[in-house]
Structures are given as structure tokens and as C-alpha cells.
């Protein structure tokens, strides 16, 4: 057995200088992972005090400077700004001459593909859309979470190998997404991840209201098992009163929610109806039980709409 030590990536010559425009939760984490692969972050831009502190924590000794200067110093530029700000940023950088020919320009927006970088492409840049399908905390733990993380990748055919190499160097797995499919791809991730946070937060609030002292401890094993079952089995993993057709139980749920958390009723009804439709379509919900259940949901929805109308 060899006892020779593996070389530290920091001891290897840096291959690309890396700049980050937008020191939110994503940019510093990706830059730190590229640094571990042997690249060299050289400049970062951040507007808020929070983003500046985050950059100092995740990328110590990397200077803060305006976006144009970040591009001037960098061979690979990460544009990690909010989706709505991205088109204007790209146009502004291209119009002011900040973009250099041959420069790799990478954005991390899930919504957009490579086309949003067209102004930079016309200036000679090499456009890549690399979106990590991961939630970020803005702390060093994010770098670890990139291991095995899927990236939604969109790039010109001639840059596919470069895009794939960068994702793999960050510890990720490239998943190719067609330009025209980016909005649908992003909607799917938001539906699964962002809405999950809302559902879990509401569930914890209701458990506290019911007197449960540690709702997170109660939900952790349950939600972990539910997620694992759903990923393995899809709709076959559906359980609970809706999938069973327990109309009385669902009616009792709605009554309790109206009393203790009326703001959650509309969401409960929408998810219950979607669950019922899927359970029925996959043969999990018996048709003779579905009629009563759907009647309860429809009646409850009518009452909710009426209450909202009265409030207006």
C-alpha cells in the first residue's frame, strides 16, 4: 500500500483567474470550490455589507472591486446576481467594453440559458449557463454540498466540454438543459424546493400551536422518509387521508385550520386536490371514495372563496 500523500490542490499552478460579480450566497461558494480545484479567485464585487462580509469569510484575501474591474482581472467570470438583474448587467458590461474576447462568462441563473449572454457573446466572450440545483446558506458548508450536486447546463455546442469540465471540477454533475426548456426546468425546481420550505415551516408552526415542544425533531424522520419514498417510488409513495379517501378526516383538518391558521387553508386545499387527482389517476384512491372527498374539497374551497370575497 502506497503511503505517498496526494498533492494539495493549492500547490498546483492556477489554471484560470476567477472573478465573481455578485457576492450573494452562490458566487463565493462556487469560487471557493473552483479554488479547491486549482483555479485562483482574484476579484469579487459586492454591494451590501452582508455580501461583503460573506466574501471576506468565503474568499479571504480576495479584493473587493467594481464589476468592470473584476472582469478586467479575470479569465473566468461568475455572474451570480438575481435573475431579474442579469440581463441589464450583461448589457451594461458589454456596452462599456468590460467584456474581453475569449473570456469565459458564466451565469448561475436557473431561469435563463446561454442566450441572455448574447451581448457578451457579440463582444467575444464565451457564454455558459451553469445553475447548481442546490439551496445555499452563504456559509462554507455550501462548498461541501456541491459534491454530487446536479447543475443545469446550457451552452453552445463548442463549449459543452468546457462547461462539463467546470461543473465536474466543482464536484457537481452536469445535466444538459435545452435553451427553450430553462424556464420549465427552473419552475420544476422552485415547485419542489422553494415550496417545500413553505410547507415545512407551516407544518412546524401548526405543531407548535398543537403543543408539540420540538416540531423539528418530530418532522425530521417523517419528512426524510417521505422524501426518500417519493424519490424512489413517485406517486406510489402517496399515503395519508387524501390518498385513502378519508373525507371526514380532511373535513376535520380544514375546520381546525380555519380556526387556528386560516392563512393555510387555501394552500392545504390546493395540495389536497392535487394529491387526490394524482392518487385517483394512479389507482391509489378508489373512485367510490373520491366522490365524497372531492365534494368536501370543493365545498371548502367555495367557503374559502366566499370568505375572501367578504373580506374584500
Amino acid at each position: 500500500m502506497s503511503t505517498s500523500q496526494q498533492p494539495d490542490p493549492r500547490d498546483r499552478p492556477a489554471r484560470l483567474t476567477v472573478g465573481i460579480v455578485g457576492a450573494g450566497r452562490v458566487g463565493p461558494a462556487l469560487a471557493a470550490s473552483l479554488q479547491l480545484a486549482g483555479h485562483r479567485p482574484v476579484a469579487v464585487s459586492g454591494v451590501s455589507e452582508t455580501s461583503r462580509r460573506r466574501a471576506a469569510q468565503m474568499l479571504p484575501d480576495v479584493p473587493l472591486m467594481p464589476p468592470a474591474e473584476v472582469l478586467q482581472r479575470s479569465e473566468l467570470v461568475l455572474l451570480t446576481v438575481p435573475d431579474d438583474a442579469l440581463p441589464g448587467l450583461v448589457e451594461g458590461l458589454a456596452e462599456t467594453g468590460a467584456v474581453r474576447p475569449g473570456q469565459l462568462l458564466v451565469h448561475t441563473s436557473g431561469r435563463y440559458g446561454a442566450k441572455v449572454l448574447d451581448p457578451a457573446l457579440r463582444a467575444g466572450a464565451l457564454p455558459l449557463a451553469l445553475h447548481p440545483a442546490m439551496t445555499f446558506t452563504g456559509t462554507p458548508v455550501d462548498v461541501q454540498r456541491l459534491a454530487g450536486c446536479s447543475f443545469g447546463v446550457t451552452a453552445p455546442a463548442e463549449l459543452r466540454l468546457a462547461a462539463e469540465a467546470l461543473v465536474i471540477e466543482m464536484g457537481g454533475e452536469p445535466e444538459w438543459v435545452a435553451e427553450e426548456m430553462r424556464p420549465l426546468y427552473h419552475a420544476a425546481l422552485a415547485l419542489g424546493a422553494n415550496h417545500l420550505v413553505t410547507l415545512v415551516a407551516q407544518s412546524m408552526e401548526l405543531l407548535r400551536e398543537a403543543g408539540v415542544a420540538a416540531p423539528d425533531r418530530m418532522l425530521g424522520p417523517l419528512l426524510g422518509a417521505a422524501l426518500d419514498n417519493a424519490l424512489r417510488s413517485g406517486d406510489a409513495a402517496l399515503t395519508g387521508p387524501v390518498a385513502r379517501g378519508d373525507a371526514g378526516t380532511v373535513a376535520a383538518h380544514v375546520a381546525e385550520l380555519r380556526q387556528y391558521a386560516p392563512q393555510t387553508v387555501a394552500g392545504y386545499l390546493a395540495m389536497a386536490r392535487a394529491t387526490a387527482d394524482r392518487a385517483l389517476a394512479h389507482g391509489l384512491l378508489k373512485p367510490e371514495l373520491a366522490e365524497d372527498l372531492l365534494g368536501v374539497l370543493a365545498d371548502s374551497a367555495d367557503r374559502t372563496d366566499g370568505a375572501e370575497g367578504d373580506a374584500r
Side-chain angles (χ1 to χ4, degrees):
M1 179 186 229
S2 172
T3 59
S4 62
Q5 293 183 336
Q6 293 296 318
D8 189 324
R10 290 171 296 183
D11 294 335
R12 296 181 306 193
R15 286 168 290 164
L16 290 172
T17 53
V18 179
I20 307 95
V21 177
R25 296 182 179 185
V26 178
L30 298 189
S33 65
L34 287 170
Q35 186 174 35
L36 291 174
H39 300 289
R40 184 164 60 94
V42 293
V44 59
S45 72
V47 177
S48 70
E49 184 58 34
T50 299
S51 66
R52 290 170 177 265
R53 286 199 303 268
R54 183 181 298 117
Q57 178 190 23
M58 300 280 288
L59 301 169
D61 302 323
V62 176
L64 283 158
M65 52 189 57
E69 293 185 36
V70 172
L71 267 71
Q72 186 178 12
R73 292 187 173 208
S74 310
E75 297 162 315
L76 166 63
V77 181
L78 301 175
L79 302 179
T80 51
V81 297
D83 289 1
D84 288 350
L86 181 60
L89 172 66
V90 176
E91 290 178 3
L93 291 173
E95 289 175 358
T96 58
V99 179
R100 303 198 316 272
Q103 193 170 45
L104 280 165
L105 214 57
V106 176
H107 80 72
T108 59
S109 166
R111 171 185 172 187
Y112 293 108
K115 191 171 179 57
V116 72
L117 298 173
D118 276 356
L121 174 64
R122 290 190 289 270
L126 307 177
L128 304 175
L130 308 180
H131 174 251
M134 178 54 63
T135 181
F136 288 80
T137 64
T139 65
V141 72
D142 295 332
V143 179
Q144 302 170 22
R145 287 181 174 175
L146 288 173
C149 167
S150 291
F151 279 65
V153 178
T154 305
E158 62 272 19
L159 294 177
R160 284 173 68 107
L161 288 178
E164 186 176 63
L166 285 173
V167 169
I168 292 172
E169 286 188 322
M170 287 185 283
E173 296 286 342
E175 186 71 39
W176 297 99
V177 180
E179 180 78 34
E180 65 275 12
M181 290 290 104
R182 291 290 288 208
L184 180 61
Y185 151 81
H186 196 223
L189 295 179
L191 182 66
N194 302 156
H195 295 176
L196 176 64
V197 174
T198 300
L199 291 172
V200 173
Q202 287 183 341
S203 182
M204 287 199 295
E205 289 172 357
L206 293 172
L207 286 172
R208 290 191 190 98
E209 184 69 26
V212 175
D216 54 342
R217 190 167 64 233
M218 177 175 283
L219 283 174
L222 173 64
L223 297 182
L227 177 59
D228 184 64
N229 290 342
L231 292 174
R232 291 174 183 270
S233 305
D235 288 300
L238 283 172
T239 62
V242 173
R244 291 192 299 265
D246 292 341
T249 299
V250 171
H253 286 178
V254 175
E256 290 298 295
L257 293 177
R258 286 193 194 283
Q259 179 177 353
Y260 291 102
Q263 72 278 8
T264 67
V265 172
Y268 179 95
L269 292 173
M271 291 304 300
R273 179 56 194 256
T275 300
D277 289 344
R278 298 188 75 90
L280 189 59
H282 288 82
L284 302 173
L285 174 60
K286 296 178 181 179
E288 60 269 23
L289 297 176
E291 185 175 353
D292 288 344
L293 175 66
L294 295 176
V296 167
L297 295 176
D299 180 62
S300 298
D302 289 342
R303 288 181 58 193
T304 300
D305 292 341
E308 290 178 350
D310 292 342
R312 289 193 292 269

